[in-house]
């Protein structure tokens, strides 16, 4: 190519690139810069004059070094209890570093403790902030950057509270006493003393904030994770939930309430703000776009107080930060007079079944000492409750099985007349006093129980990392043994395989429990009357195979429940079928064994 063409192309390239760079700067970079600036300005204004329920922007550069992030947030006060460890920052008086010492990330003995709160500066920061709101107060009110001074205590423990102080330089002195119990509740007692010559109007504020949602949260449709709170008028209360995906579509949801509580919940963990139960509050769930992520905050603003010169006021608020264990939540519900605090656990729309089933499992666990055995006892209890209805149903099914030859004769007699077949079949059922739908009743009744058991295993932390026997060390997780690692003999996780890992670890994760469940389902269906339609028969034959793959990804405790339920059903069916001399695969197998032995 001639040199002049190269020069011309170069000039054209530079001009086009400059235009594209200018357009990108004007139409993309500038709007993002303005959005971030607006967020920062709103945050700054909020920290001095308004409620801290509005989210604060996080640092633009994240660090994965927790020690470095903790250092960024100023001096700290250690937190040490039997259930919690971590620290709080004197900058802002923020509780932002917390681990649950009774719970591990995995079932390994040396696994790290579960992290609840994470300091700002790290990705997915999560913390609780307390402060005050007041318009046009000289010197301002405590906010996220307030340099509190530690004046009493050195480590926050159940027996040693700490006291922080801050003077705004304009006649207001703020004193904060933070104490903690033996479980998961912090008590924050704030005192405002007015030494100025003018009265001030001030209101308590608090928020729980999460900056960005971790990838493992908010994905399961069966489980609620996100904003949660109970609001009411002092007499009646209702629990409100807002999932993360819905939260982004409703950036501000407000509630007026007398007492109650609100916060952010995960599957097993909860951070909730608890105001005095006789005080009116304005609660809000706020989502703010911070560019690369959303900031989610659950906040509350209490009643405004007028502090006259040379007087002081005191406000007490609480923070629950811990595991959603039913017994602990129920204890706080009673001792703090909290409405519906146990509903921080996502019992589901069948709560009237899920909660009693959970109580039964806990009751049996108290005697048996093993949640797997407790699930077996629960299954037996459910079968005993359904025994009378199931007995009539299986008797009807056994009689129908004895009628199979007559039913085949009717089909051969009227091969091209489906309506005539149906009429004669109904006449046969009436003559033999058989209800063809009776066999469906036990199954239909078990469906809501099955869902409630699944929900109970999935959402209650009592089931988390609970062993059964042998290789089943976590009833709330799928059976780890699959055919792809020779049922646990090979130290290999099939889900990590390139390209097909998602299939081997999910859709085709055939485990020992799943195969055993599939065999029990096949035997149970083999003992049921054959469907008259060939296509229906084929579908019923394929169902055990299909369900074997489906159930392989469910919690091990659920497969134990369902397989044991199948075994009890098979036993009950066999007793009835043997008594009525109905053909069944068990008697047929015994006859074959006798002939083979002879």
């Amino acid at each position: 190519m001639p040199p002049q063409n190269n020069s011309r192309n170069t000039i054209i390239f530079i001009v086009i690139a400059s235009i594209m760079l200018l357009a990108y700067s004007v139409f993309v970079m500038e709007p993002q810069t303005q959005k971030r600036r607006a967020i920062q300005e709103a945050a700054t204004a909020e920290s001095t004059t308004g409620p801290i329920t509005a989210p604060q922007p996080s640092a633009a550069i994240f660090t994965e070094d927790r020690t470095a992030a903790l250092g960024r947030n100023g001096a700290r006060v250690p937190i040490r209890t039997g259930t919690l460890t971590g620290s709080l920052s004197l900058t802002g008086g923020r509780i932002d570093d917390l681990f649950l010492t009774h719970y591990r990330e995995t079932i390994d003995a040396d696994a790290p403790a579960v992290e609840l709160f994470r300091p700002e500066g790290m990705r997915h920061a999560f913390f609780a902030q307390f402060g005050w709101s007041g318009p046009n107060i000289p010197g301002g009110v405590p906010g996220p950057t307030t340099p509190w001074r530690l004046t009493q205590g050195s480590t926050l423990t159940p027996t040693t509270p700490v006291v922080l102080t801050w003077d705004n330089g304009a006649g207001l002195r703020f004193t904060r006493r933070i104490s903690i119990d033996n479980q998961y509740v912090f008590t924050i007692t704030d005192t405002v003393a007015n030494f100025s010559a003018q009265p001030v109007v001030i209101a308590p504020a608090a928020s729980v904030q999460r900056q960005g949602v971790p990838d493992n949260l908010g994905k399961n449709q069966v489980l609620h994770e996100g904003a949660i709170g109970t609001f009411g008028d002092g007499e009646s209360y209702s629990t409100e939930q807002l999932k993360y995906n819905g939260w982004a579509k409703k950036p501000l949801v407000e509630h007026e309430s007398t007492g109650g509580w609100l916060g952010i919940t995960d599957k097993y963990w909860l951070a909730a703000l608890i105001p005095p139960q006789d005080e009116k509050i304005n609660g809000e769930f706020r989502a703010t776009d911070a560019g690369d992520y959303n900031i989610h905050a659950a906040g509350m603003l209490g009643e405004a107080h007028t502090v006259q010169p040379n007087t002081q006021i005191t406000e007490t608020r609480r923070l629950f930060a811990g595991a959603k264990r039913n017994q602990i939540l129920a204890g706080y519900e009673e001792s703090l007079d909290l409405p519906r605090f146990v509903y921080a656990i996502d019992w589901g729309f069948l709560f009237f079944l899920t909660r009693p089933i959970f109580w039964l499992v806990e009751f049996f666990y108290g005697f048996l000492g093993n949640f797997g055995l407790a699930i077996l006892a629960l299954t037996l209890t459910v079968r005993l409750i359904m025994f009378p209805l199931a007995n009539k149903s299986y008797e009807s099914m056994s009689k129908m099985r004895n009628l199979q030859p007559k039913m085949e004769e009717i089909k051969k007699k009227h091969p091209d007349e489906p309506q005539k077949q149906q009429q004669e079949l109904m006449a046969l059922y009436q003559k033999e006093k058989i209800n063809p739908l009776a066999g469906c009743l036990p199954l239909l009744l078990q469906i809501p129980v099955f869902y409630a058991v699944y929900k109970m295993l999935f959402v209650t932390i009592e089931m988390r990392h609970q062993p059964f026997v042998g290789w089943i060390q976590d009833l709330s997780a799928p059976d780890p043994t699959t055919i792809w690692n020779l049922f646990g003999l090979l130290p290999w996780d099939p889900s990590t395989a390139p390209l097909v890992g998602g299939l081997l670890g999910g859709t085709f994760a055939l485990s020992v429990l799943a195969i055993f469940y599939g065999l029990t389902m096949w035997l149970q269906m083999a003992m049921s009357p054959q469907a008259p339609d060939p296509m229906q028969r084929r579908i019923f034959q394929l169902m055990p195979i299909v369900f074997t793959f489906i159930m392989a990804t469910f919690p091990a405790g659920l497969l134990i429940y369902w397989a044991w339920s199948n075994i009890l059903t098979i036993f009950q069916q066999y007793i009835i079928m043997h008594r009525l001399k109905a053909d069944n695969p068990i008697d047929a197998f015994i006859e074959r064994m006798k002939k083979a032995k002879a």
Side-chain angles (χ1 to χ4, degrees), residues 539-559:
I539 292 174
F540 283 123
Q541 289 169 357
L542 291 175
M543 279 181 63
I545 300 175
V546 173
F547 272 82
T548 297
F549 285 100
I550 292 175
M551 296 296 293
T553 60
F554 279 66
L558 190 66
L559 268 73

mmCIF file of all heavy atoms in Angstrom, residues 539-559:
data_model
loop_
_atom_site.group_PDB
_atom_site.id
_atom_site.type_symbol
_atom_site.label_atom_id
_atom_site.label_comp_id
_atom_site.label_asym_id
_atom_site.label_seq_id
_atom_site.Cartn_x
_atom_site.Cartn_y
_atom_site.Cartn_z
ATOM 1 N N ILE A 539 -46.069 -44.199 31.334
ATOM 2 C CA ILE A 539 -45.700 -43.040 32.161
ATOM 3 C C ILE A 539 -45.420 -43.467 33.595
ATOM 4 O O ILE A 539 -44.430 -43.051 34.207
ATOM 5 C CB ILE A 539 -46.815 -41.977 32.110
ATOM 6 C CG1 ILE A 539 -46.895 -41.361 30.708
ATOM 7 C CG2 ILE A 539 -46.581 -40.895 33.167
ATOM 8 C CD1 ILE A 539 -48.060 -40.406 30.527
ATOM 9 N N PHE A 540 -46.296 -44.316 34.141
ATOM 10 C CA PHE A 540 -46.095 -44.785 35.519
ATOM 11 C C PHE A 540 -44.830 -45.630 35.646
ATOM 12 O O PHE A 540 -44.181 -45.615 36.699
ATOM 13 C CB PHE A 540 -47.310 -45.586 35.984
ATOM 14 C CG PHE A 540 -48.487 -44.724 36.357
ATOM 15 C CD1 PHE A 540 -49.719 -44.887 35.740
ATOM 16 C CD2 PHE A 540 -48.359 -43.742 37.320
ATOM 17 C CE1 PHE A 540 -50.796 -44.083 36.076
ATOM 18 C CE2 PHE A 540 -49.430 -42.945 37.665
ATOM 19 C CZ PHE A 540 -50.659 -43.108 37.045
ATOM 20 N N GLN A 541 -44.460 -46.351 34.605
ATOM 21 C CA GLN A 541 -43.228 -47.137 34.641
ATOM 22 C C GLN A 541 -41.990 -46.247 34.633
ATOM 23 O O GLN A 541 -40.966 -46.586 35.227
ATOM 24 C CB GLN A 541 -43.196 -48.105 33.451
ATOM 25 C CG GLN A 541 -44.197 -49.251 33.558
ATOM 26 C CD GLN A 541 -44.321 -50.025 32.258
ATOM 27 O OE1 GLN A 541 -43.703 -49.685 31.249
ATOM 28 N NE2 GLN A 541 -45.139 -51.082 32.266
ATOM 29 N N LEU A 542 -42.090 -45.096 33.958
ATOM 30 C CA LEU A 542 -40.947 -44.189 33.868
ATOM 31 C C LEU A 542 -40.824 -43.277 35.086
ATOM 32 O O LEU A 542 -39.744 -42.732 35.347
ATOM 33 C CB LEU A 542 -41.064 -43.323 32.606
ATOM 34 C CG LEU A 542 -40.890 -44.050 31.274
ATOM 35 C CD1 LEU A 542 -41.150 -43.096 30.115
ATOM 36 C CD2 LEU A 542 -39.484 -44.637 31.154
ATOM 37 N N MET A 543 -41.916 -43.102 35.822
ATOM 38 C CA MET A 543 -41.890 -42.164 36.949
ATOM 39 C C MET A 543 -40.816 -42.466 37.982
ATOM 40 O O MET A 543 -40.111 -41.541 38.426
ATOM 41 C CB MET A 543 -43.269 -42.107 37.615
ATOM 42 C CG MET A 543 -44.252 -41.196 36.894
ATOM 43 S SD MET A 543 -45.870 -41.126 37.719
ATOM 44 C CE MET A 543 -45.414 -40.398 39.297
ATOM 45 N N PRO A 544 -40.595 -43.722 38.415
ATOM 46 C CA PRO A 544 -39.518 -43.966 39.389
ATOM 47 C C PRO A 544 -38.148 -43.544 38.873
ATOM 48 O O PRO A 544 -37.322 -43.045 39.649
ATOM 49 C CB PRO A 544 -39.592 -45.482 39.621
ATOM 50 C CG PRO A 544 -41.003 -45.848 39.288
ATOM 51 C CD PRO A 544 -41.388 -44.946 38.164
ATOM 52 N N ILE A 545 -37.910 -43.733 37.575
ATOM 53 C CA ILE A 545 -36.616 -43.339 37.007
ATOM 54 C C ILE A 545 -36.473 -41.826 37.031
ATOM 55 O O ILE A 545 -35.444 -41.279 37.449
ATOM 56 C CB ILE A 545 -36.469 -43.876 35.569
ATOM 57 C CG1 ILE A 545 -36.555 -45.407 35.570
ATOM 58 C CG2 ILE A 545 -35.163 -43.404 34.942
ATOM 59 C CD1 ILE A 545 -36.551 -46.022 34.187
ATOM 60 N N VAL A 546 -37.516 -41.141 36.574
ATOM 61 C CA VAL A 546 -37.475 -39.676 36.528
ATOM 62 C C VAL A 546 -37.303 -39.098 37.930
ATOM 63 O O VAL A 546 -36.467 -38.212 38.161
ATOM 64 C CB VAL A 546 -38.755 -39.126 35.863
ATOM 65 C CG1 VAL A 546 -38.803 -37.604 35.973
ATOM 66 C CG2 VAL A 546 -38.833 -39.563 34.409
ATOM 67 N N PHE A 547 -38.084 -39.612 38.887
ATOM 68 C CA PHE A 547 -38.012 -39.075 40.238
ATOM 69 C C PHE A 547 -36.694 -39.409 40.928
ATOM 70 O O PHE A 547 -36.262 -38.685 41.828
ATOM 71 C CB PHE A 547 -39.200 -39.575 41.076
ATOM 72 C CG PHE A 547 -40.407 -38.703 40.970
ATOM 73 C CD1 PHE A 547 -41.281 -38.819 39.901
ATOM 74 C CD2 PHE A 547 -40.673 -37.746 41.925
ATOM 75 C CE1 PHE A 547 -42.393 -38.010 39.792
ATOM 76 C CE2 PHE A 547 -41.787 -36.931 41.832
ATOM 77 C CZ PHE A 547 -42.652 -37.058 40.763
ATOM 78 N N THR A 548 -36.053 -40.486 40.525
ATOM 79 C CA THR A 548 -34.740 -40.806 41.083
ATOM 80 C C THR A 548 -33.750 -39.695 40.771
ATOM 81 O O THR A 548 -32.980 -39.255 41.636
ATOM 82 C CB THR A 548 -34.233 -42.141 40.530
ATOM 83 O OG1 THR A 548 -35.115 -43.181 40.944
ATOM 84 C CG2 THR A 548 -32.830 -42.442 41.050
ATOM 85 N N PHE A 549 -33.764 -39.199 39.535
ATOM 86 C CA PHE A 549 -32.870 -38.108 39.159
ATOM 87 C C PHE A 549 -33.284 -36.799 39.825
ATOM 88 O O PHE A 549 -32.439 -36.023 40.274
ATOM 89 C CB PHE A 549 -32.864 -37.940 37.636
ATOM 90 C CG PHE A 549 -32.085 -39.001 36.915
ATOM 91 C CD1 PHE A 549 -32.721 -40.069 36.311
ATOM 92 C CD2 PHE A 549 -30.704 -38.936 36.851
ATOM 93 C CE1 PHE A 549 -32.001 -41.054 35.654
ATOM 94 C CE2 PHE A 549 -29.971 -39.900 36.186
ATOM 95 C CZ PHE A 549 -30.621 -40.966 35.586
ATOM 96 N N ILE A 550 -34.592 -36.543 39.890
ATOM 97 C CA ILE A 550 -35.065 -35.295 40.491
ATOM 98 C C ILE A 550 -34.698 -35.230 41.966
ATOM 99 O O ILE A 550 -34.172 -34.227 42.468
ATOM 100 C CB ILE A 550 -36.585 -35.148 40.305
ATOM 101 C CG1 ILE A 550 -36.929 -34.946 38.826
ATOM 102 C CG2 ILE A 550 -37.118 -33.981 41.142
ATOM 103 C CD1 ILE A 550 -38.424 -34.923 38.539
ATOM 104 N N MET A 551 -34.955 -36.315 42.690
ATOM 105 C CA MET A 551 -34.753 -36.311 44.141
ATOM 106 C C MET A 551 -33.289 -36.364 44.539
ATOM 107 O O MET A 551 -32.945 -36.097 45.691
ATOM 108 C CB MET A 551 -35.505 -37.491 44.762
ATOM 109 C CG MET A 551 -37.017 -37.422 44.613
ATOM 110 S SD MET A 551 -37.740 -36.013 45.469
ATOM 111 C CE MET A 551 -37.433 -36.445 47.169
ATOM 112 N N ALA A 552 -32.397 -36.707 43.605
ATOM 113 C CA ALA A 552 -30.973 -36.801 43.930
ATOM 114 C C ALA A 552 -30.407 -35.464 44.388
ATOM 115 O O ALA A 552 -29.413 -35.427 45.124
ATOM 116 C CB ALA A 552 -30.195 -37.328 42.728
ATOM 117 N N THR A 553 -31.002 -34.360 43.961
ATOM 118 C CA THR A 553 -30.487 -33.037 44.327
ATOM 119 C C THR A 553 -31.147 -32.483 45.583
ATOM 120 O O THR A 553 -30.776 -31.391 46.024
ATOM 121 C CB THR A 553 -30.714 -32.053 43.163
ATOM 122 O OG1 THR A 553 -32.117 -31.952 42.893
ATOM 123 C CG2 THR A 553 -30.002 -32.524 41.902
ATOM 124 N N PHE A 554 -32.090 -33.209 46.172
ATOM 125 C CA PHE A 554 -32.787 -32.724 47.358
ATOM 126 C C PHE A 554 -32.001 -33.096 48.621
ATOM 127 O O PHE A 554 -31.124 -33.961 48.589
ATOM 128 C CB PHE A 554 -34.195 -33.317 47.420
ATOM 129 C CG PHE A 554 -35.193 -32.607 46.548
ATOM 130 C CD1 PHE A 554 -35.090 -32.629 45.167
ATOM 131 C CD2 PHE A 554 -36.245 -31.896 47.110
ATOM 132 C CE1 PHE A 554 -35.991 -31.972 44.366
ATOM 133 C CE2 PHE A 554 -37.158 -31.229 46.322
ATOM 134 C CZ PHE A 554 -37.042 -31.267 44.947
ATOM 135 N N PRO A 555 -32.320 -32.449 49.765
ATOM 136 C CA PRO A 555 -31.610 -32.774 51.003
ATOM 137 C C PRO A 555 -31.723 -34.256 51.354
ATOM 138 O O PRO A 555 -32.750 -34.897 51.120
ATOM 139 C CB PRO A 555 -32.319 -31.906 52.050
ATOM 140 C CG PRO A 555 -32.890 -30.767 51.283
ATOM 141 C CD PRO A 555 -33.267 -31.325 49.946
ATOM 142 N N ALA A 556 -30.660 -34.789 51.937
ATOM 143 C CA ALA A 556 -30.625 -36.211 52.299
ATOM 144 C C ALA A 556 -31.747 -36.555 53.271
ATOM 145 O O ALA A 556 -32.335 -37.638 53.195
ATOM 146 C CB ALA A 556 -29.269 -36.547 52.912
ATOM 147 N N GLY A 557 -32.055 -35.641 54.190
ATOM 148 C CA GLY A 557 -33.123 -35.907 55.156
ATOM 149 C C GLY A 557 -34.467 -36.112 54.492
ATOM 150 O O GLY A 557 -35.281 -36.912 54.958
ATOM 151 N N LEU A 558 -34.708 -35.417 53.374
ATOM 152 C CA LEU A 558 -35.975 -35.571 52.669
ATOM 153 C C LEU A 558 -36.049 -36.938 51.986
ATOM 154 O O LEU A 558 -37.105 -37.581 51.982
ATOM 155 C CB LEU A 558 -36.129 -34.461 51.632
ATOM 156 C CG LEU A 558 -37.504 -34.355 50.978
ATOM 157 C CD1 LEU A 558 -38.551 -33.942 51.999
ATOM 158 C CD2 LEU A 558 -37.482 -33.354 49.824
ATOM 159 N N LEU A 559 -34.940 -37.402 51.421
ATOM 160 C CA LEU A 559 -34.927 -38.735 50.800
ATOM 161 C C LEU A 559 -35.118 -39.825 51.847
ATOM 162 O O LEU A 559 -35.779 -40.833 51.587
ATOM 163 C CB LEU A 559 -33.617 -38.960 50.041
ATOM 164 C CG LEU A 559 -33.665 -38.575 48.557
ATOM 165 C CD1 LEU A 559 -33.686 -37.061 48.405
ATOM 166 C CD2 LEU A 559 -32.480 -39.158 47.792
#
